Amino acid sequence: MIIRPRLNDFHNLTFTQTDVDFAIPFLDEDIPLYLDPFLLWKSPSQQDNSLHTTITNSFNQLGNMFLKDENQAVSILKEISECDAVGLGNSKSKQGKKIGDKMAYSVLSTFRDIPQINKQGYTHFEELQLLVDSFSKDRVSDIACNLLESFLIDYTIQQCEKHNVPMEIVNIDFFDLKKMAFVSEKVQLPTNPISKDQILFVPKRWLRFVPWINYEDFYKDYVSMSDKLDAGTTIPRVQLLDYNRQNYDQVQEFIKRKQLSQKDCQNDPLFSQIPILSSKRKLGNILKLPTGKTDNADQQYEKDLCPLLASMLFPELDFAKPQARTADGVLIRDLIFYNNTSHDFLKEIYDKYNSRQIVFELKNVKEVTTTHVNQLNRYLNNEFGSFGVIFTRNEPPKSVYKNTIDLWSGQRKCILIMTDNDLELMSQVYENKQRLPIDVLKKKYVEFTRQCPS
Amino acid sequence: MTEEQVEIFLKLQPQIKSAYDEITLLSKKKPTEPLNKFKLKFINSMLNQANHILQNDYIPFPDEFEQFDVDDMPNNGDVVFILSHYLTSLEKLRCDNIKYQKHYYYWVIDGEVSTLKTSPPCIK
């Protein structure tokens, strides 16, 4: 069982997130991003633009249906309000809840109550966040995904074939835009090995943390700028949404502004490195820190080192998560990375030590001891293979270093001890880009293997 | 020295000198910065050729050093240090294989003084 497993880790596929066009799904939680239809609208790709038109047209068609047959439209909207197969959002369980009758009715009633929408329909249906209470970014994303499901099925199959992701024949219910009804079809799709649910991939270029059109920006950049509003006055959300429904031209004006500033709308990467200036600052903080626990120095060490390592080792190592656990009443912080064999050194430790994930233990101690090495050694089992790294402040005593060599001789386990000097070197190459920071890890590994008995 | 060795020498010495000058500049600014793989590849190639003509008698550190290991991440200072030793060894090899005749220095090739002129020795 690996930590925060992703689909490719389960199938032993060695691509990294940077290598593929889609967001790699986690098996037991959602990807913390949302599909933003605005990114499709502003995309230079004609395909994305036409998909945006499809979303908008289908949603407007649903509105038309509401004007004729309320019940049918409400029931369809409820059905398309959740899309578990794409696994986007903040859910820990990968299971979302559909909207209720009341919410579906308030969404669709905008087609009846707002004259401009009644006449022309929506251009960006995410405007609903400015009109209906509790209609949030995850609904925008899920409805868009459902309306694009047919495309996403083809896209997923294409990407699976390209990257050799195993697929199974499954029965999938998706929304047929021509029939305006759900249809069932047998297709080949990847499935979640734990829950057996179908998985759909979503292109990375469509994902953002927050949709470009959202309530917070509307309030901050539009409403609060109004000279008609007294300084310091806040308008309750429900009151503002009600006002918007009565004065839809205000929403239209805001949308126009958002469209004009479309250049600033970019997709959010799943992981972004910290800038060099910040990395130098973090290294400086670490080097100045006292060892031990004085003034919570140990926690500060972890706080600075976690983002620094995750950034420096990216994209060769995808960051999985920081993990806290308690051993002997002491909080130990580990950093866990996916090993996708994207570097010859990583391939070697994958092959030799069966390391599908690499664990880094952080020890802000003056002198690393055999107990620390043994602690990590106990941790090295099936899930992490036989390779681990301890990050500490100073060079280990000879006896401790010898202990790591003995571990290799006896159990073929490799534990590298990295120090502040190595961290400085990593930071130097991260800044100068002459070599990769992971080369420092390899250097340490090569030095270690030279000491091992042949 | 053979004619082939002299030919290699004439090409190699200025190459190593040029690399030495270049990396000395880098080293003055950042002596501990690791050299990138691209530059190391060419430096190793020059060192290989130098080892070939210097042979055991002239190689600066015959038992300890042959060429840089990319995995060791040698820094600018390391490279300058080694290149300077190789330049000295190459010059020593040249000095031992030239002869002064009729106001000029000539290469000694296959034991005979050739007609190929060279500059005066820098190491006596």
PDB file of all heavy atoms in Angstrom, chain B residues 96-119:
ATOM      1  N   ASP B  96      60.890  17.878 -22.845  1.00  0.00           N
ATOM      2  CA  ASP B  96      61.763  16.699 -22.955  1.00  0.00           C
ATOM      3  C   ASP B  96      61.862  16.177 -24.387  1.00  0.00           C
ATOM      4  O   ASP B  96      62.599  15.232 -24.657  1.00  0.00           O
ATOM      5  CB  ASP B  96      61.248  15.573 -22.037  1.00  0.00           C
ATOM      6  CG  ASP B  96      61.430  15.940 -20.569  1.00  0.00           C
ATOM      7  OD1 ASP B  96      62.087  16.965 -20.296  1.00  0.00           O
ATOM      8  OD2 ASP B  96      60.879  15.227 -19.705  1.00  0.00           O
ATOM      9  N   ASN B  97      61.094  16.734 -25.287  1.00  0.00           N
ATOM     10  CA  ASN B  97      61.078  16.225 -26.657  1.00  0.00           C
ATOM     11  C   ASN B  97      61.366  17.316 -27.691  1.00  0.00           C
ATOM     12  O   ASN B  97      60.866  17.258 -28.816  1.00  0.00           O
ATOM     13  CB  ASN B  97      59.731  15.564 -26.974  1.00  0.00           C
ATOM     14  CG  ASN B  97      59.608  14.203 -26.319  1.00  0.00           C
ATOM     15  OD1 ASN B  97      60.115  13.210 -26.812  1.00  0.00           O
ATOM     16  ND2 ASN B  97      58.953  14.182 -25.158  1.00  0.00           N
ATOM     17  N   ILE B  98      62.128  18.315 -27.307  1.00  0.00           N
ATOM     18  CA  ILE B  98      62.524  19.351 -28.268  1.00  0.00           C
ATOM     19  C   ILE B  98      64.039  19.560 -28.168  1.00  0.00           C
ATOM     20  O   ILE B  98      64.656  19.221 -27.144  1.00  0.00           O
ATOM     21  CB  ILE B  98      61.783  20.689 -28.031  1.00  0.00           C
ATOM     22  CG1 ILE B  98      61.990  21.206 -26.598  1.00  0.00           C
ATOM     23  CG2 ILE B  98      60.312  20.575 -28.326  1.00  0.00           C
ATOM     24  CD1 ILE B  98      61.380  22.575 -26.348  1.00  0.00           C
ATOM     25  N   LYS B  99      64.617  20.088 -29.213  1.00  0.00           N
ATOM     26  CA  LYS B  99      66.081  20.304 -29.207  1.00  0.00           C
ATOM     27  C   LYS B  99      66.393  21.654 -29.850  1.00  0.00           C
ATOM     28  O   LYS B  99      65.714  22.065 -30.798  1.00  0.00           O
ATOM     29  CB  LYS B  99      66.764  19.163 -29.966  1.00  0.00           C
ATOM     30  CG  LYS B  99      68.207  19.036 -29.587  1.00  0.00           C
ATOM     31  CD  LYS B  99      68.714  17.611 -29.759  1.00  0.00           C
ATOM     32  CE  LYS B  99      70.105  17.529 -29.145  1.00  0.00           C
ATOM     33  NZ  LYS B  99      70.673  16.221 -29.279  1.00  0.00           N
ATOM     34  N   TYR B 100      67.445  22.317 -29.315  1.00  0.00           N
ATOM     35  CA  TYR B 100      67.872  23.627 -29.814  1.00  0.00           C
ATOM     36  C   TYR B 100      68.912  23.424 -30.904  1.00  0.00           C
ATOM     37  O   TYR B 100      69.931  22.777 -30.707  1.00  0.00           O
ATOM     38  CB  TYR B 100      68.442  24.430 -28.644  1.00  0.00           C
ATOM     39  CG  TYR B 100      68.837  25.845 -28.990  1.00  0.00           C
ATOM     40  CD1 TYR B 100      67.870  26.822 -29.222  1.00  0.00           C
ATOM     41  CD2 TYR B 100      70.179  26.197 -29.091  1.00  0.00           C
ATOM     42  CE1 TYR B 100      68.233  28.116 -29.534  1.00  0.00           C
ATOM     43  CE2 TYR B 100      70.551  27.494 -29.397  1.00  0.00           C
ATOM     44  CZ  TYR B 100      69.567  28.462 -29.616  1.00  0.00           C
ATOM     45  OH  TYR B 100      69.937  29.745 -29.928  1.00  0.00           O
ATOM     46  N   GLN B 101      68.634  23.934 -32.070  1.00  0.00           N
ATOM     47  CA  GLN B 101      69.599  23.828 -33.182  1.00  0.00           C
ATOM     48  C   GLN B 101      69.506  25.084 -34.029  1.00  0.00           C
ATOM     49  O   GLN B 101      68.382  25.519 -34.351  1.00  0.00           O
ATOM     50  CB  GLN B 101      69.258  22.615 -34.072  1.00  0.00           C
ATOM     51  CG  GLN B 101      70.034  21.386 -33.691  1.00  0.00           C
ATOM     52  CD  GLN B 101      69.814  20.254 -34.669  1.00  0.00           C
ATOM     53  OE1 GLN B 101      69.036  20.359 -35.619  1.00  0.00           O
ATOM     54  NE2 GLN B 101      70.479  19.155 -34.436  1.00  0.00           N
ATOM     55  N   LYS B 102      70.601  25.636 -34.414  1.00  0.00           N
ATOM     56  CA  LYS B 102      70.654  26.801 -35.313  1.00  0.00           C
ATOM     57  C   LYS B 102      69.670  27.886 -34.887  1.00  0.00           C
ATOM     58  O   LYS B 102      68.802  28.306 -35.670  1.00  0.00           O
ATOM     59  CB  LYS B 102      70.380  26.388 -36.758  1.00  0.00           C
ATOM     60  CG  LYS B 102      71.406  25.448 -37.329  1.00  0.00           C
ATOM     61  CD  LYS B 102      70.945  24.964 -38.682  1.00  0.00           C
ATOM     62  CE  LYS B 102      71.812  23.814 -39.135  1.00  0.00           C
ATOM     63  NZ  LYS B 102      71.295  23.145 -40.300  1.00  0.00           N
ATOM     64  N   HIS B 103      69.754  28.328 -33.656  1.00  0.00           N
ATOM     65  CA  HIS B 103      68.952  29.423 -33.086  1.00  0.00           C
ATOM     66  C   HIS B 103      67.478  29.107 -32.887  1.00  0.00           C
ATOM     67  O   HIS B 103      66.714  29.978 -32.505  1.00  0.00           O
ATOM     68  CB  HIS B 103      69.073  30.713 -33.926  1.00  0.00           C
ATOM     69  CG  HIS B 103      70.464  31.030 -34.296  1.00  0.00           C
ATOM     70  ND1 HIS B 103      71.433  31.353 -33.356  1.00  0.00           N
ATOM     71  CD2 HIS B 103      71.087  31.030 -35.517  1.00  0.00           C
ATOM     72  CE1 HIS B 103      72.574  31.551 -33.977  1.00  0.00           C
ATOM     73  NE2 HIS B 103      72.406  31.355 -35.288  1.00  0.00           N
ATOM     74  N   TYR B 104      67.038  27.923 -33.174  1.00  0.00           N
ATOM     75  CA  TYR B 104      65.621  27.582 -33.002  1.00  0.00           C
ATOM     76  C   TYR B 104      65.473  26.277 -32.231  1.00  0.00           C
ATOM     77  O   TYR B 104      66.403  25.474 -32.161  1.00  0.00           O
ATOM     78  CB  TYR B 104      64.906  27.427 -34.359  1.00  0.00           C
ATOM     79  CG  TYR B 104      64.747  28.732 -35.088  1.00  0.00           C
ATOM     80  CD1 TYR B 104      65.547  29.014 -36.191  1.00  0.00           C
ATOM     81  CD2 TYR B 104      63.799  29.675 -34.678  1.00  0.00           C
ATOM     82  CE1 TYR B 104      65.418  30.219 -36.875  1.00  0.00           C
ATOM     83  CE2 TYR B 104      63.664  30.887 -35.362  1.00  0.00           C
ATOM     84  CZ  TYR B 104      64.474  31.151 -36.455  1.00  0.00           C
ATOM     85  OH  TYR B 104      64.340  32.328 -37.101  1.00  0.00           O
ATOM     86  N   TYR B 105      64.233  26.087 -31.707  1.00  0.00           N
ATOM     87  CA  TYR B 105      63.900  24.792 -31.081  1.00  0.00           C
ATOM     88  C   TYR B 105      63.087  23.969 -32.082  1.00  0.00           C
ATOM     89  O   TYR B 105      62.207  24.508 -32.764  1.00  0.00           O
ATOM     90  CB  TYR B 105      63.094  25.006 -29.802  1.00  0.00           C
ATOM     91  CG  TYR B 105      63.980  25.337 -28.612  1.00  0.00           C
ATOM     92  CD1 TYR B 105      64.266  26.657 -28.293  1.00  0.00           C
ATOM     93  CD2 TYR B 105      64.542  24.314 -27.842  1.00  0.00           C
ATOM     94  CE1 TYR B 105      65.094  26.969 -27.232  1.00  0.00           C
ATOM     95  CE2 TYR B 105      65.377  24.639 -26.768  1.00  0.00           C
ATOM     96  CZ  TYR B 105      65.651  25.945 -26.466  1.00  0.00           C
ATOM     97  OH  TYR B 105      66.463  26.250 -25.419  1.00  0.00           O
ATOM     98  N   TYR B 106      63.426  22.655 -32.167  1.00  0.00           N
ATOM     99  CA  TYR B 106      62.725  21.747 -33.086  1.00  0.00           C
ATOM    100  C   TYR B 106      62.219  20.539 -32.300  1.00  0.00           C
ATOM    101  O   TYR B 106      62.847  20.125 -31.316  1.00  0.00           O
ATOM    102  CB  TYR B 106      63.673  21.259 -34.186  1.00  0.00           C
ATOM    103  CG  TYR B 106      64.117  22.355 -35.106  1.00  0.00           C
ATOM    104  CD1 TYR B 106      65.292  23.070 -34.835  1.00  0.00           C
ATOM    105  CD2 TYR B 106      63.378  22.686 -36.247  1.00  0.00           C
ATOM    106  CE1 TYR B 106      65.719  24.093 -35.672  1.00  0.00           C
ATOM    107  CE2 TYR B 106      63.803  23.706 -37.092  1.00  0.00           C
ATOM    108  CZ  TYR B 106      64.959  24.403 -36.802  1.00  0.00           C
ATOM    109  OH  TYR B 106      65.372  25.402 -37.626  1.00  0.00           O
ATOM    110  N   TRP B 107      61.100  19.977 -32.751  1.00  0.00           N
ATOM    111  CA  TRP B 107      60.561  18.745 -32.158  1.00  0.00           C
ATOM    112  C   TRP B 107      61.479  17.578 -32.489  1.00  0.00           C
ATOM    113  O   TRP B 107      61.998  17.496 -33.608  1.00  0.00           O
ATOM    114  CB  TRP B 107      59.175  18.421 -32.735  1.00  0.00           C
ATOM    115  CG  TRP B 107      58.061  19.211 -32.098  1.00  0.00           C
ATOM    116  CD1 TRP B 107      57.482  20.326 -32.569  1.00  0.00           C
ATOM    117  CD2 TRP B 107      57.404  18.881 -30.881  1.00  0.00           C
ATOM    118  NE1 TRP B 107      56.498  20.759 -31.745  1.00  0.00           N
ATOM    119  CE2 TRP B 107      56.416  19.879 -30.669  1.00  0.00           C
ATOM    120  CE3 TRP B 107      57.541  17.879 -29.922  1.00  0.00           C
ATOM    121  CZ2 TRP B 107      55.584  19.889 -29.565  1.00  0.00           C
ATOM    122  CZ3 TRP B 107      56.702  17.879 -28.833  1.00  0.00           C
ATOM    123  CH2 TRP B 107      55.740  18.880 -28.647  1.00  0.00           C
ATOM    124  N   VAL B 108      61.649  16.695 -31.504  1.00  0.00           N
ATOM    125  CA  VAL B 108      62.376  15.442 -31.769  1.00  0.00           C
ATOM    126  C   VAL B 108      61.305  14.369 -32.021  1.00  0.00           C
ATOM    127  O   VAL B 108      60.515  14.063 -31.127  1.00  0.00           O
ATOM    128  CB  VAL B 108      63.262  15.041 -30.554  1.00  0.00           C
ATOM    129  CG1 VAL B 108      63.932  13.700 -30.800  1.00  0.00           C
ATOM    130  CG2 VAL B 108      64.286  16.117 -30.274  1.00  0.00           C
ATOM    131  N   ILE B 109      61.285  13.853 -33.273  1.00  0.00           N
ATOM    132  CA  ILE B 109      60.252  12.866 -33.606  1.00  0.00           C
ATOM    133  C   ILE B 109      60.937  11.541 -33.927  1.00  0.00           C
ATOM    134  O   ILE B 109      61.870  11.501 -34.755  1.00  0.00           O
ATOM    135  CB  ILE B 109      59.399  13.360 -34.800  1.00  0.00           C
ATOM    136  CG1 ILE B 109      58.656  14.637 -34.397  1.00  0.00           C
ATOM    137  CG2 ILE B 109      58.421  12.285 -35.264  1.00  0.00           C
ATOM    138  CD1 ILE B 109      57.892  15.309 -35.516  1.00  0.00           C
ATOM    139  N   ASP B 110      60.462  10.489 -33.270  1.00  0.00           N
ATOM    140  CA  ASP B 110      61.057   9.143 -33.397  1.00  0.00           C
ATOM    141  C   ASP B 110      62.583   9.174 -33.210  1.00  0.00           C
ATOM    142  O   ASP B 110      63.337   8.561 -33.978  1.00  0.00           O
ATOM    143  CB  ASP B 110      60.704   8.530 -34.773  1.00  0.00           C
ATOM    144  CG  ASP B 110      59.208   8.323 -34.924  1.00  0.00           C
ATOM    145  OD1 ASP B 110      58.546   8.048 -33.904  1.00  0.00           O
ATOM    146  OD2 ASP B 110      58.687   8.460 -36.050  1.00  0.00           O
ATOM    147  N   GLY B 111      63.056   9.952 -32.266  1.00  0.00           N
ATOM    148  CA  GLY B 111      64.486  10.005 -31.938  1.00  0.00           C
ATOM    149  C   GLY B 111      65.303  10.929 -32.827  1.00  0.00           C
ATOM    150  O   GLY B 111      66.490  11.144 -32.571  1.00  0.00           O
ATOM    151  N   GLU B 112      64.724  11.483 -33.856  1.00  0.00           N
ATOM    152  CA  GLU B 112      65.461  12.359 -34.791  1.00  0.00           C
ATOM    153  C   GLU B 112      64.966  13.797 -34.650  1.00  0.00           C
ATOM    154  O   GLU B 112      63.773  14.024 -34.441  1.00  0.00           O
ATOM    155  CB  GLU B 112      65.160  11.908 -36.244  1.00  0.00           C
ATOM    156  CG  GLU B 112      65.511  10.467 -36.538  1.00  0.00           C
ATOM    157  CD  GLU B 112      66.942  10.320 -36.990  1.00  0.00           C
ATOM    158  OE1 GLU B 112      67.417  11.199 -37.731  1.00  0.00           O
ATOM    159  OE2 GLU B 112      67.603   9.343 -36.564  1.00  0.00           O
ATOM    160  N   VAL B 113      65.869  14.760 -34.776  1.00  0.00           N
ATOM    161  CA  VAL B 113      65.448  16.169 -34.746  1.00  0.00           C
ATOM    162  C   VAL B 113      64.719  16.463 -36.068  1.00  0.00           C
ATOM    163  O   VAL B 113      65.259  16.231 -37.147  1.00  0.00           O
ATOM    164  CB  VAL B 113      66.658  17.110 -34.584  1.00  0.00           C
ATOM    165  CG1 VAL B 113      66.199  18.566 -34.568  1.00  0.00           C
ATOM    166  CG2 VAL B 113      67.428  16.785 -33.322  1.00  0.00           C
ATOM    167  N   SER B 114      63.481  16.892 -35.942  1.00  0.00           N
ATOM    168  CA  SER B 114      62.678  17.126 -37.155  1.00  0.00           C
ATOM    169  C   SER B 114      62.848  18.563 -37.634  1.00  0.00           C
ATOM    170  O   SER B 114      63.604  19.344 -37.040  1.00  0.00           O
ATOM    171  CB  SER B 114      61.208  16.863 -36.846  1.00  0.00           C
ATOM    172  OG  SER B 114      60.750  17.886 -35.988  1.00  0.00           O
ATOM    173  N   THR B 115      62.129  18.908 -38.653  1.00  0.00           N
ATOM    174  CA  THR B 115      62.194  20.288 -39.159  1.00  0.00           C
ATOM    175  C   THR B 115      61.043  21.119 -38.580  1.00  0.00           C
ATOM    176  O   THR B 115      60.833  22.262 -38.958  1.00  0.00           O
ATOM    177  CB  THR B 115      62.092  20.299 -40.692  1.00  0.00           C
ATOM    178  OG1 THR B 115      60.931  19.561 -41.056  1.00  0.00           O
ATOM    179  CG2 THR B 115      63.329  19.723 -41.336  1.00  0.00           C
ATOM    180  N   LEU B 116      60.270  20.504 -37.665  1.00  0.00           N
ATOM    181  CA  LEU B 116      59.095  21.174 -37.086  1.00  0.00           C
ATOM    182  C   LEU B 116      59.530  22.073 -35.927  1.00  0.00           C
ATOM    183  O   LEU B 116      59.990  21.590 -34.890  1.00  0.00           O
ATOM    184  CB  LEU B 116      58.106  20.112 -36.592  1.00  0.00           C
ATOM    185  CG  LEU B 116      56.727  20.575 -36.192  1.00  0.00           C
ATOM    186  CD1 LEU B 116      55.998  21.247 -37.336  1.00  0.00           C
ATOM    187  CD2 LEU B 116      55.922  19.386 -35.669  1.00  0.00           C
ATOM    188  N   LYS B 117      59.394  23.397 -36.139  1.00  0.00           N
ATOM    189  CA  LYS B 117      59.847  24.349 -35.114  1.00  0.00           C
ATOM    190  C   LYS B 117      58.868  24.401 -33.940  1.00  0.00           C
ATOM    191  O   LYS B 117      57.681  24.140 -34.101  1.00  0.00           O
ATOM    192  CB  LYS B 117      59.923  25.741 -35.731  1.00  0.00           C
ATOM    193  CG  LYS B 117      61.164  25.987 -36.532  1.00  0.00           C
ATOM    194  CD  LYS B 117      61.162  27.441 -36.983  1.00  0.00           C
ATOM    195  CE  LYS B 117      62.226  27.654 -38.038  1.00  0.00           C
ATOM    196  NZ  LYS B 117      62.061  28.949 -38.712  1.00  0.00           N
ATOM    197  N   THR B 118      59.398  24.779 -32.789  1.00  0.00           N
ATOM    198  CA  THR B 118      58.536  24.979 -31.623  1.00  0.00           C
ATOM    199  C   THR B 118      59.113  26.113 -30.771  1.00  0.00           C
ATOM    200  O   THR B 118      60.231  26.571 -31.026  1.00  0.00           O
ATOM    201  CB  THR B 118      58.387  23.665 -30.814  1.00  0.00           C
ATOM    202  OG1 THR B 118      57.540  23.897 -29.698  1.00  0.00           O
ATOM    203  CG2 THR B 118      59.718  23.137 -30.299  1.00  0.00           C
ATOM    204  N   SER B 119      58.361  26.533 -29.790  1.00  0.00           N
ATOM    205  CA  SER B 119      58.833  27.650 -28.968  1.00  0.00           C
ATOM    206  C   SER B 119      59.818  27.159 -27.904  1.00  0.00           C
ATOM    207  O   SER B 119      59.854  25.953 -27.596  1.00  0.00           O
ATOM    208  CB  SER B 119      57.649  28.347 -28.315  1.00  0.00           C
ATOM    209  OG  SER B 119      56.857  27.400 -27.689  1.00  0.00           O
TER     210      SER B 119
END
